[in-house]
Amino acid sequence: MRKYLLNGTVALSLALSACSLAPQYERPQMALPNGWSNVAGVGNAQLNPTTAFWQELGSTDLNHLIDNALAQNLDLEAALHRIEQARAQAKISAAPLYPTITASGSASQTFQDAKNTQSARGGGSISYEVDLWGKNRNAAKSADYRANASEFDREALRLVVTADATNFYAEILSLNDRIRIAEFNLKNAEEVLRIIEARFGQGGVSGLEVSQQRVAVNNLRTVMASLVEQRSTTANALAILLGLAPQNFSAPTAELATLTMPPVNLTPPANLLTARPDIESAEAGLLAANADIGVARAAFFPSLTLGLDTAIAAGFGGPAAAATSVASSLLAPIFTGGRLTGNLESVTARQKELAVQYRQTVLVAFQEVEDALAALKGNNDRAALARATVAESQNAYDIAKARFDAGAIDFLTLLETQRSWYQAQDNQISINQGQLFAFVQLRKAMGS
Protein backbone atom coordinates (compact mmCIF):
# COMPACT_ATOMS: atom_id res chain seq x y z
CA MET A 1 0.00 0.00 0.00
CA ARG A 2 2.80 2.35 0.94
CA LYS A 3 4.50 1.57 -2.37
CA TYR A 4 1.41 2.60 -4.36
CA LEU A 5 0.98 5.71 -2.26
CA LEU A 6 4.58 6.72 -2.88
CA ASN A 7 4.29 6.10 -6.60
CA GLY A 8 1.12 8.16 -6.75
CA THR A 9 2.74 11.00 -4.84
CA VAL A 10 5.75 11.02 -7.17
CA ALA A 11 3.54 10.96 -10.26
CA LEU A 12 1.45 13.83 -8.97
CA SER A 13 4.51 15.86 -8.05
CA LEU A 14 6.10 15.34 -11.44
CA ALA A 15 2.92 16.48 -13.13
CA LEU A 16 2.77 19.59 -10.98
CA SER A 17 6.45 20.31 -11.60
CA ALA A 18 5.56 21.25 -15.18
CA CYS A 19 3.95 24.43 -13.80
CA SER A 20 5.72 27.78 -14.07
CA LEU A 21 4.54 31.02 -12.55
CA ALA A 22 6.88 33.24 -14.57
CA PRO A 23 5.00 35.67 -16.84
CA GLN A 24 5.10 35.05 -20.58
CA TYR A 25 8.08 37.00 -21.90
CA GLU A 26 7.49 39.61 -24.57
CA ARG A 27 10.14 41.90 -25.98
CA PRO A 28 9.31 45.51 -25.05
CA GLN A 29 7.28 47.11 -27.79
CA MET A 30 8.69 50.22 -29.44
CA ALA A 31 8.44 51.94 -32.79
CA LEU A 32 11.37 50.94 -35.00
CA PRO A 33 12.42 53.22 -37.87
CA ASN A 34 12.26 51.79 -41.37
CA GLY A 35 15.61 53.19 -42.46
CA TRP A 36 18.45 55.59 -41.73
CA SER A 37 18.53 59.32 -42.37
CA ASN A 38 22.04 60.50 -43.39
CA VAL A 39 22.69 57.84 -46.04
CA ALA A 40 23.00 59.94 -49.21
CA GLY A 41 26.50 59.43 -50.57
CA VAL A 42 27.55 57.38 -47.53
CA GLY A 43 26.40 53.78 -47.78
CA ASN A 44 24.20 51.19 -49.42
CA ALA A 45 21.57 48.92 -47.93
CA GLN A 46 23.08 45.46 -48.38
CA LEU A 47 23.48 42.25 -46.46
CA ASN A 48 25.41 42.09 -43.23
CA PRO A 49 29.15 42.36 -43.95
CA THR A 50 31.04 39.14 -43.33
CA THR A 51 34.47 40.75 -42.93
CA ALA A 52 35.57 42.40 -39.69
CA PHE A 53 35.68 46.16 -40.09
CA TRP A 54 39.41 46.46 -39.41
CA GLN A 55 40.15 43.88 -42.09
CA GLU A 56 38.31 46.03 -44.62
CA LEU A 57 40.92 48.77 -44.13
CA GLY A 58 43.44 46.66 -46.04
CA SER A 59 46.39 46.70 -43.59
CA THR A 60 48.13 43.47 -42.61
CA ASP A 61 49.92 45.34 -39.82
CA LEU A 62 46.59 46.45 -38.38
CA ASN A 63 45.18 42.93 -38.67
CA HIS A 64 48.16 41.55 -36.74
CA LEU A 65 47.81 44.26 -34.12
CA ILE A 66 44.10 43.51 -33.60
CA ASP A 67 44.84 39.80 -33.28
CA ASN A 68 47.29 40.62 -30.50
CA ALA A 69 44.77 42.91 -28.82
CA LEU A 70 42.11 40.19 -28.80
CA ALA A 71 44.58 37.66 -27.41
CA GLN A 72 46.33 39.85 -24.83
CA ASN A 73 43.95 42.58 -23.71
CA LEU A 74 43.61 42.37 -19.93
CA ASP A 75 40.08 43.76 -19.80
CA LEU A 76 38.94 40.99 -22.14
CA GLU A 77 40.72 38.41 -20.01
CA ALA A 78 39.01 39.74 -16.88
CA ALA A 79 35.66 39.62 -18.69
CA LEU A 80 36.30 35.97 -19.54
CA HIS A 81 36.71 35.19 -15.85
CA ARG A 82 33.46 37.03 -15.12
CA ILE A 83 31.77 34.68 -17.58
CA GLU A 84 33.28 31.71 -15.77
CA GLN A 85 31.93 33.04 -12.48
CA ALA A 86 28.47 33.51 -13.98
CA ARG A 87 28.47 29.99 -15.43
CA ALA A 88 29.56 28.55 -12.08
CA GLN A 89 26.74 30.45 -10.39
CA ALA A 90 24.34 29.01 -12.94
CA LYS A 91 25.46 25.51 -11.93
CA ILE A 92 24.80 26.35 -8.30
CA SER A 93 21.34 27.69 -9.14
CA ALA A 94 20.49 24.53 -11.10
CA ALA A 95 21.55 22.17 -8.28
CA PRO A 96 18.10 22.06 -6.58
CA LEU A 97 16.68 20.52 -9.77
CA TYR A 98 18.47 17.27 -8.88
CA PRO A 99 18.23 14.97 -5.84
CA THR A 100 20.67 15.34 -2.96
CA ILE A 101 22.37 12.06 -2.03
CA THR A 102 24.40 11.63 1.13
CA ALA A 103 26.12 8.66 2.77
CA SER A 104 27.41 8.06 6.27
CA GLY A 105 29.27 5.30 8.08
CA SER A 106 30.74 4.55 11.48
CA ALA A 107 32.52 1.74 13.28
CA SER A 108 33.10 1.11 16.97
CA GLN A 109 34.93 -1.30 19.24
CA THR A 110 33.98 -1.85 22.89
CA PHE A 111 36.02 -3.62 25.63
CA GLN A 112 34.09 -4.85 28.65
CA ASP A 113 34.95 -7.68 31.05
CA ALA A 114 37.67 -8.91 28.75
CA LYS A 115 35.14 -9.11 25.99
CA ASN A 116 35.76 -7.35 22.67
CA THR A 117 32.65 -6.18 20.80
CA GLN A 118 32.88 -4.66 17.33
CA SER A 119 30.08 -3.11 15.35
CA ALA A 120 29.59 -1.03 12.21
CA ARG A 121 26.81 1.14 10.88
CA GLY A 122 26.24 2.55 7.43
CA GLY A 123 23.50 4.50 5.83
CA GLY A 124 22.44 6.76 3.01
CA SER A 125 19.73 9.24 2.26
CA ILE A 126 18.16 10.78 -0.80
CA SER A 127 16.13 13.95 -0.70
CA TYR A 128 14.48 15.79 -3.55
CA GLU A 129 12.45 18.97 -3.58
CA VAL A 130 9.68 18.60 -6.12
CA ASP A 131 9.59 21.76 -8.24
CA LEU A 132 5.83 22.12 -8.00
CA TRP A 133 5.58 25.72 -9.18
CA GLY A 134 8.73 26.09 -11.27
CA LYS A 135 10.66 27.95 -8.57
CA ASN A 136 13.89 26.03 -9.03
CA ARG A 137 13.64 25.93 -12.79
CA ASN A 138 13.04 29.67 -12.99
CA ALA A 139 15.95 30.31 -10.63
CA ALA A 140 18.17 28.21 -12.91
CA LYS A 141 16.87 30.04 -15.97
CA SER A 142 17.55 33.40 -14.35
CA ALA A 143 21.14 32.40 -13.63
CA ASP A 144 21.56 31.12 -17.20
CA TYR A 145 20.27 34.39 -18.64
CA ARG A 146 22.67 36.36 -16.44
CA ALA A 147 25.51 34.17 -17.62
CA ASN A 148 24.44 34.89 -21.20
CA ALA A 149 24.42 38.59 -20.37
CA SER A 150 28.01 38.34 -19.16
CA GLU A 151 28.98 36.78 -22.49
CA PHE A 152 27.25 39.56 -24.40
CA ASP A 153 29.04 42.08 -22.17
CA ARG A 154 32.35 40.57 -23.20
CA GLU A 155 31.34 40.78 -26.86
CA ALA A 156 30.50 44.45 -26.35
CA LEU A 157 33.89 44.96 -24.70
CA ARG A 158 35.55 43.12 -27.58
CA LEU A 159 33.91 45.55 -29.98
CA VAL A 160 35.19 48.50 -27.93
CA VAL A 161 38.73 47.08 -27.81
CA THR A 162 38.92 46.46 -31.56
CA ALA A 163 37.45 49.89 -32.35
CA ASP A 164 39.78 51.68 -29.94
CA ALA A 165 42.82 49.78 -31.22
CA THR A 166 41.90 50.66 -34.82
CA ASN A 167 41.37 54.32 -33.92
CA PHE A 168 44.65 54.53 -32.00
CA TYR A 169 46.49 52.91 -34.90
CA ALA A 170 44.93 55.34 -37.40
CA GLU A 171 45.69 58.27 -35.11
CA ILE A 172 49.36 57.27 -34.88
CA LEU A 173 49.56 57.00 -38.67
CA SER A 174 47.86 60.38 -38.96
CA LEU A 175 50.38 61.90 -36.55
CA ASN A 176 53.20 60.34 -38.56
CA ASP A 177 51.93 62.19 -41.62
CA ARG A 178 51.41 65.45 -39.74
CA ILE A 179 54.93 65.24 -38.33
CA ARG A 180 56.36 64.67 -41.81
CA ILE A 181 54.43 67.66 -43.13
CA ALA A 182 55.58 69.78 -40.20
CA GLU A 183 59.20 68.69 -40.78
CA PHE A 184 58.97 69.61 -44.46
CA ASN A 185 57.45 72.99 -43.70
CA LEU A 186 59.98 73.60 -40.95
CA LYS A 187 62.86 72.95 -43.35
CA ASN A 188 61.20 75.22 -45.89
CA ALA A 189 60.67 77.95 -43.29
CA GLU A 190 64.30 77.63 -42.13
CA GLU A 191 65.45 78.02 -45.73
CA VAL A 192 63.32 81.13 -46.11
CA LEU A 193 64.81 82.44 -42.85
CA ARG A 194 68.29 81.87 -44.19
CA ILE A 195 67.44 83.91 -47.31
CA ILE A 196 65.83 86.67 -45.26
CA GLU A 197 68.82 86.90 -42.95
CA ALA A 198 71.15 87.08 -45.96
CA ARG A 199 69.10 89.88 -47.48
CA PHE A 200 69.01 91.66 -44.14
CA GLY A 201 72.81 91.56 -44.08
CA GLN A 202 72.79 93.21 -47.50
CA GLY A 203 70.21 95.79 -46.44
CA GLY A 204 67.52 94.37 -48.72
CA VAL A 205 64.95 93.80 -45.94
CA SER A 206 64.34 95.22 -42.50
CA GLY A 207 64.70 93.53 -39.14
CA LEU A 208 60.91 93.20 -39.03
CA GLU A 209 60.90 90.57 -41.76
CA VAL A 210 63.69 88.66 -40.00
CA SER A 211 61.78 88.63 -36.69
CA GLN A 212 58.54 87.59 -38.39
CA GLN A 213 60.17 84.61 -40.06
CA ARG A 214 61.94 83.59 -36.88
CA VAL A 215 58.55 83.58 -35.15
CA ALA A 216 57.16 81.40 -37.96
CA VAL A 217 60.06 78.94 -37.56
CA ASN A 218 59.60 78.78 -33.78
CA ASN A 219 55.87 78.18 -34.19
CA LEU A 220 56.55 75.23 -36.48
CA ARG A 221 59.06 73.83 -33.97
CA THR A 222 56.42 74.14 -31.23
CA VAL A 223 53.91 72.31 -33.40
CA MET A 224 56.47 69.59 -34.05
CA ALA A 225 57.06 69.06 -30.34
CA SER A 226 53.32 68.88 -29.69
CA LEU A 227 52.76 66.34 -32.46
CA VAL A 228 55.60 64.13 -31.24
CA GLU A 229 54.13 64.22 -27.74
CA GLN A 230 50.67 63.25 -29.05
CA ARG A 231 52.14 60.32 -30.96
CA SER A 232 53.92 59.07 -27.83
CA THR A 233 50.84 59.25 -25.60
CA THR A 234 48.67 57.58 -28.27
CA ALA A 235 51.24 54.79 -28.67
CA ASN A 236 51.22 54.32 -24.89
CA ALA A 237 47.43 53.96 -24.91
CA LEU A 238 47.63 51.44 -27.75
CA ALA A 239 50.25 49.45 -25.85
CA ILE A 240 47.91 49.11 -22.85
CA LEU A 241 45.15 47.83 -25.16
CA LEU A 242 47.61 45.21 -26.37
CA GLY A 243 48.40 44.17 -22.81
CA LEU A 244 51.96 45.50 -23.09
CA ALA A 245 54.04 47.91 -21.07
CA PRO A 246 54.55 51.11 -23.10
CA GLN A 247 58.30 50.61 -22.79
CA ASN A 248 57.99 47.37 -24.77
CA PHE A 249 55.99 48.81 -27.65
CA SER A 250 57.20 50.70 -30.69
CA ALA A 251 54.80 53.03 -32.47
CA PRO A 252 53.90 52.10 -36.08
CA THR A 253 55.77 54.12 -38.71
CA ALA A 254 53.38 53.68 -41.66
CA GLU A 255 51.45 56.47 -43.38
CA LEU A 256 47.71 57.01 -43.16
CA ALA A 257 47.44 56.30 -46.88
CA THR A 258 48.17 52.61 -46.16
CA LEU A 259 44.61 52.38 -44.79
CA THR A 260 41.95 52.18 -47.47
CA MET A 261 38.59 53.81 -46.85
CA PRO A 262 36.09 50.99 -47.61
CA PRO A 263 32.49 51.33 -48.80
CA VAL A 264 29.82 51.28 -46.13
CA ASN A 265 27.13 48.60 -46.04
CA LEU A 266 24.05 49.48 -44.00
CA THR A 267 21.54 47.06 -42.54
CA PRO A 268 17.97 47.93 -41.47
CA PRO A 269 17.57 49.48 -38.01
CA ALA A 270 15.67 46.40 -36.74
CA ASN A 271 18.82 44.30 -37.24
CA LEU A 272 20.49 46.15 -34.38
CA LEU A 273 18.29 44.29 -31.87
CA THR A 274 20.24 41.09 -32.53
CA ALA A 275 23.50 42.55 -33.90
CA ARG A 276 24.57 44.75 -30.99
CA PRO A 277 25.82 42.81 -27.95
CA ASP A 278 24.83 45.59 -25.55
CA ILE A 279 21.21 45.28 -26.67
CA GLU A 280 21.36 41.50 -26.38
CA SER A 281 22.86 41.85 -22.91
CA ALA A 282 20.04 44.17 -21.89
CA GLU A 283 17.48 41.66 -23.15
CA ALA A 284 19.20 38.78 -21.34
CA GLY A 285 18.96 40.77 -18.12
CA LEU A 286 15.29 41.39 -18.82
CA LEU A 287 14.71 37.67 -19.36
CA ALA A 288 16.45 36.93 -16.06
CA ALA A 289 14.21 39.43 -14.27
CA ASN A 290 11.18 37.79 -15.85
CA ALA A 291 12.25 34.43 -14.45
CA ASP A 292 12.86 36.03 -11.04
CA ILE A 293 9.18 36.96 -10.93
CA GLY A 294 8.34 33.27 -11.33
CA VAL A 295 10.61 32.45 -8.39
CA ALA A 296 9.00 35.14 -6.23
CA ARG A 297 5.48 33.98 -7.10
CA ALA A 298 6.30 30.33 -6.36
CA ALA A 299 7.45 31.29 -2.86
CA PHE A 300 3.78 31.90 -1.91
CA PHE A 301 2.89 28.23 -2.49
CA PRO A 302 3.74 25.03 -0.57
CA SER A 303 6.97 23.16 -1.23
CA LEU A 304 7.12 19.36 -1.28
CA THR A 305 10.23 17.38 -0.37
CA LEU A 306 10.56 13.60 -0.82
CA GLY A 307 13.06 11.60 1.20
CA LEU A 308 14.45 8.08 1.34
CA ASP A 309 16.68 6.89 4.22
CA THR A 310 18.42 3.52 4.47
CA ALA A 311 20.51 2.23 7.37
CA ILE A 312 22.46 -0.98 7.86
CA ALA A 313 23.90 -2.03 11.22
CA ALA A 314 25.90 -5.16 12.08
CA GLY A 315 28.36 -6.57 14.54
CA PHE A 316 31.50 -8.06 13.08
CA GLY A 317 30.95 -11.72 12.67
CA GLY A 318 27.27 -11.38 13.52
CA PRO A 319 24.02 -10.85 11.62
CA ALA A 320 23.23 -7.52 9.91
CA ALA A 321 20.03 -5.52 10.23
CA ALA A 322 18.71 -3.12 7.59
CA ALA A 323 15.99 -0.50 7.74
CA THR A 324 14.51 1.72 5.05
CA SER A 325 12.14 4.63 5.47
CA VAL A 326 10.34 6.79 2.93
CA ALA A 327 8.99 10.20 3.87
CA SER A 328 7.60 13.32 2.32
CA SER A 329 7.14 16.75 3.83
CA LEU A 330 4.96 19.64 2.75
CA LEU A 331 5.90 23.13 3.87
CA ALA A 332 3.57 26.06 3.27
CA PRO A 333 4.11 29.72 4.23
CA ILE A 334 1.38 31.16 6.46
CA PHE A 335 2.70 34.44 7.80
CA THR A 336 6.00 36.04 6.74
CA GLY A 337 5.48 39.62 7.80
CA GLY A 338 5.23 40.90 4.21
CA ARG A 339 8.56 39.42 3.13
CA LEU A 340 7.15 37.43 0.22
CA THR A 341 4.94 40.28 -0.97
CA GLY A 342 7.79 42.75 -0.72
CA ASN A 343 10.09 40.44 -2.65
CA LEU A 344 7.54 40.01 -5.45
CA GLU A 345 6.99 43.76 -5.66
CA SER A 346 10.75 44.31 -5.77
CA VAL A 347 11.49 41.86 -8.60
CA THR A 348 8.45 43.10 -10.55
CA ALA A 349 9.63 46.69 -10.27
CA ARG A 350 13.12 45.55 -11.30
CA GLN A 351 11.68 43.87 -14.39
CA LYS A 352 9.86 47.07 -15.34
CA GLU A 353 13.03 49.10 -14.82
CA LEU A 354 15.02 46.76 -17.08
CA ALA A 355 12.31 46.98 -19.75
CA VAL A 356 12.70 50.77 -19.77
CA GLN A 357 16.48 50.44 -19.84
CA TYR A 358 16.20 48.06 -22.78
CA ARG A 359 14.20 50.60 -24.78
CA GLN A 360 16.71 53.30 -23.84
CA THR A 361 19.60 51.08 -24.99
CA VAL A 362 17.89 50.56 -28.35
CA LEU A 363 17.25 54.27 -28.80
CA VAL A 364 20.86 55.13 -27.97
CA ALA A 365 21.99 52.53 -30.52
CA PHE A 366 19.88 54.23 -33.20
CA GLN A 367 21.35 57.59 -32.21
CA GLU A 368 24.92 56.29 -32.39
CA VAL A 369 24.38 55.00 -35.92
CA GLU A 370 22.85 58.30 -37.05
CA ASP A 371 25.67 60.28 -35.40
CA ALA A 372 28.27 58.13 -37.13
CA LEU A 373 26.51 58.50 -40.47
CA ALA A 374 26.40 62.30 -40.06
CA ALA A 375 30.09 62.36 -39.10
CA LEU A 376 31.02 60.17 -42.06
CA LYS A 377 29.01 62.27 -44.51
CA GLY A 378 30.49 65.50 -43.13
CA ASN A 379 34.05 64.18 -43.30
CA ASN A 380 33.51 62.88 -46.83
CA ASP A 381 32.34 66.32 -47.94
CA ARG A 382 35.21 68.05 -46.16
CA ALA A 383 37.75 65.60 -47.62
CA ALA A 384 36.85 66.62 -51.18
CA LEU A 385 37.20 70.30 -50.28
CA ALA A 386 40.46 69.65 -48.42
CA ARG A 387 42.07 68.03 -51.47
CA ALA A 388 41.19 71.05 -53.62
CA THR A 389 42.39 73.45 -50.92
CA VAL A 390 45.78 71.73 -50.60
CA ALA A 391 46.29 71.85 -54.36
CA GLU A 392 45.37 75.55 -54.57
CA SER A 393 47.39 76.55 -51.51
CA GLN A 394 50.47 74.76 -52.81
CA ASN A 395 50.07 76.48 -56.17
CA ALA A 396 49.69 79.84 -54.40
CA TYR A 397 52.84 79.25 -52.37
CA ASP A 398 54.89 78.25 -55.43
CA ILE A 399 53.81 81.41 -57.23
CA ALA A 400 54.44 83.60 -54.18
CA LYS A 401 57.89 82.07 -53.63
CA ALA A 402 58.88 82.71 -57.23
CA ARG A 403 57.62 86.31 -57.09
CA PHE A 404 59.33 86.94 -53.76
CA ASP A 405 62.62 85.62 -55.15
CA ALA A 406 62.17 88.04 -58.07
CA GLY A 407 61.37 90.88 -55.67
CA ALA A 408 57.84 91.32 -57.02
CA ILE A 409 56.01 90.87 -53.68
CA ASP A 410 56.77 91.61 -50.06
CA PHE A 411 57.63 89.09 -47.43
CA LEU A 412 54.27 89.24 -45.64
CA THR A 413 52.55 87.85 -48.73
CA LEU A 414 55.00 84.96 -48.89
CA LEU A 415 54.61 84.30 -45.17
CA GLU A 416 50.83 84.15 -45.45
CA THR A 417 50.85 81.72 -48.38
CA GLN A 418 53.41 79.58 -46.56
CA ARG A 419 51.19 79.41 -43.47
CA SER A 420 48.09 78.65 -45.54
CA TRP A 421 49.78 75.79 -47.37
CA TYR A 422 50.92 74.13 -44.15
CA GLN A 423 47.51 74.50 -42.52
CA ALA A 424 45.79 73.05 -45.59
CA GLN A 425 48.01 69.97 -45.54
CA ASP A 426 47.61 69.45 -41.81
CA ASN A 427 43.85 69.91 -42.06
CA GLN A 428 43.61 67.38 -44.87
CA ILE A 429 45.31 64.69 -42.76
CA SER A 430 42.98 65.42 -39.84
CA ILE A 431 39.93 65.12 -42.09
CA ASN A 432 41.16 61.83 -43.57
CA GLN A 433 41.63 60.53 -40.05
CA GLY A 434 38.12 61.73 -39.21
CA GLN A 435 36.74 59.70 -42.11
CA LEU A 436 38.31 56.54 -40.72
CA PHE A 437 37.12 57.34 -37.21
CA ALA A 438 33.56 57.83 -38.46
CA PHE A 439 33.69 54.54 -40.39
CA VAL A 440 34.90 52.65 -37.31
CA GLN A 441 32.29 54.34 -35.14
CA LEU A 442 29.57 53.41 -37.63
CA ARG A 443 30.56 49.76 -37.73
CA LYS A 444 30.86 49.70 -33.96
CA ALA A 445 27.40 51.27 -33.64
CA MET A 446 26.00 48.59 -35.97
CA GLY A 447 27.53 45.86 -33.83
CA SER A 448 29.95 44.61 -36.46
Side-chain angles (χ1 to χ4, degrees), residues 134 155 214 281:
E155 284 302 307
R214 284 175 179 170
S281 176

Side-chain angles (χ1 to χ4, degrees), residues 131 155 242 262:
D131 197 14
E155 284 302 307
L242 296 174

Side-chain angles (χ1 to χ4, degrees), residues 292-368:
D292 288 339
I293 294 176
V295 176
R297 287 177 175 175
F300 285 88
F301 296 90
S303 60
L304 175 64
T305 302
L306 303 179
L308 175 66
D309 292 294
T310 299
I312 300 176
F316 287 102
T324 301
S325 64
V326 178
S328 63
S329 63
L330 191 67
L331 181 64
I334 297 177
F335 177 74
T336 60
R339 177 177 58 84
L340 298 181
T341 302
N343 183 52
L344 178 58
E345 291 173 350
S346 176
V347 296
T348 302
R350 176 61 175 163
Q351 191 266 356
K352 293 179 180 178
E353 177 194 4
L354 292 177
V356 174
Q357 290 181 357
Y358 174 84
R359 293 197 297 269
Q360 179 69 9
T361 302
V362 173
L363 290 178
V364 170
F366 291 157
Q367 177 194 1
E368 289 178 352

